Amino acid sequence: MFSKLAVFVPLLVTLAAAIPNTVPITPPTSDQCCQSVVDSNSTAAGAVLAGLGIDLGDITVPVGLSCSAITVAGSNCGGITTRCDAPEIAWQGLIAINCIPITI
């Protein structure tokens, strides 16, 4: 019995390693209410990014400025309702990365 197991386990490990991971990894998103949405290479976004020590390099993405999380669907935003990549760290609502305007 153990000899069959000794052959079977390495076979499973080999098969698992050979199967490529084809599931795309997408960052979590969050709905935000932002006062404005600008390109990351704009002067306003550049100032906030630099102040927070965020370097996006040559990537140009839409960023939301002065954002707050929307926690209740249908709430009155008073700004631009967006769906942004959820930040890995909190930036006290100063900026949100990769923001796409949406309608709730």
Side-chain angles (χ1 to χ4, degrees), residues 19-52:
I19 298 172
N21 183 1
T22 58
V23 177
I25 298 172
T26 56
T29 59
S30 66
D31 292 343
Q32 301 277 323
C33 180
C34 301
Q35 292 305 309
S36 62
V37 176
V38 298
D39 282 339
S40 57
N41 62 359
S42 72
T43 304
V48 175
L49 289 166
L52 293 171

Side-chain angles (χ1 to χ4, degrees), residues 13-100:
V13 171
T14 303
L15 285 174
I19 298 172
N21 183 1
T22 58
V23 177
I25 298 172
T26 56
T29 59
S30 66
D31 292 343
Q32 301 277 323
C33 180
C34 301
Q35 292 305 309
S36 62
V37 176
V38 298
D39 282 339
S40 57
N41 62 359
S42 72
T43 304
V48 175
L49 289 166
L52 293 171
I54 302 169
D55 182 14
L56 296 179
D58 293 332
I59 299 172
T60 301
V61 295
V63 296
L65 300 176
S66 298
C67 300
S68 60
I70 297 175
T71 55
V72 179
S75 66
N76 185 3
C77 174
I80 301 168
T81 306
T82 63
R83 180 154 294 148
C84 308
D85 289 347
E88 293 179 16
I89 58 171
W91 293 316
Q92 286 73 38
L94 294 174
I95 196 165
I97 305 294
N98 201 25
C99 296
I100 308 299

